Amino acid sequence: MEQKYKVGTKVKIKTDLKLHEMYDGIDFVEEMYPYVGKKAVITDYCNGSYVLDVDEGFWCWGEGMLEEVIPVSHSETEEEKIRLCEDFLAYLVDQYAIFKRKSDVAPVYTGGGDQINIKNIVKEYFDLM
């Protein structure tokens, strides 16, 4: 089977994965959940799936669990730009407690004094550090 991604390709583990669902023959188990939304580099192949650096090669990841990270400078279409922005906003909400709701009735922004340095976040997200 031809691999969609090559060794060295930067990918992101999708954020909409469902526990115990099969992705290209790989069961998404609870222990894999901490890696959801993380960026990684493909380091090897594993029986038709991928080995990533983010978990030090511990898990095999199915193609359906991954999406390629599109470099900002190569974003050519409006759809890609929109997807990049959506990914960035999802990253912000996922990574910083200030965006987490404390309850269903609490206002959206209930951070406890979290300080967010936007320039550093953008650098981190777009691998500019």
Side-chain angles (χ1 to χ4, degrees), residues 4 9 16 33 49 61 68 72 83 89 93 109 113-114 120:
K4 178 178 180 178
T9 301
D16 60 351
Y33 190 79
S49 58
W61 298 86
E68 188 169 4
V72 176
R83 189 175 74 90
L89 291 174
V93 170
Y109 305 109
D114 298 28
N120 284 345

Side-chain angles (χ1 to χ4, degrees), residues 39-103:
K39 290 182 184 175
V41 175
I42 295 172
T43 59
D44 205 353
Y45 302 113
C46 170
N47 298 321
S49 58
Y50 299 93
V51 177
L52 307 177
D53 67 343
V54 71
D55 62 0
E56 298 178 9
F58 187 80
W59 297 103
C60 291
W61 298 86
E63 187 174 295
M65 297 173 160
L66 308 173
E67 57 190 9
E68 188 169 4
V69 173
I70 301 169
V72 176
S73 60
H74 294 93
S75 180
E76 297 174 8
T77 68
E78 287 301 312
E79 288 150 0
E80 288 173 339
K81 290 176 185 175
I82 290 168
R83 189 175 74 90
L84 266 174
C85 289
E86 289 171 345
D87 286 352
F88 179 66
L89 291 174
Y91 171 82
L92 272 179
V93 170
D94 185 55
Q95 295 296 317
Y96 295 94
I98 192 168
F99 296 110
K100 304 269 190 247
R101 286 182 184 238
K102 291 189 178 178
S103 73

Side-chain angles (χ1 to χ4, degrees), residues 13-19 28-38 59 61 94:
I13 300 168
K14 292 181 178 178
T15 58
D16 60 351
L17 301 176
K18 307 231 182 311
L19 283 175
F28 181 68
V29 295
E30 191 172 345
E31 293 81 4
M32 297 167 102
Y33 190 79
Y35 302 105
V36 165
K38 302 283 185 198
W59 297 103
W61 298 86
D94 185 55

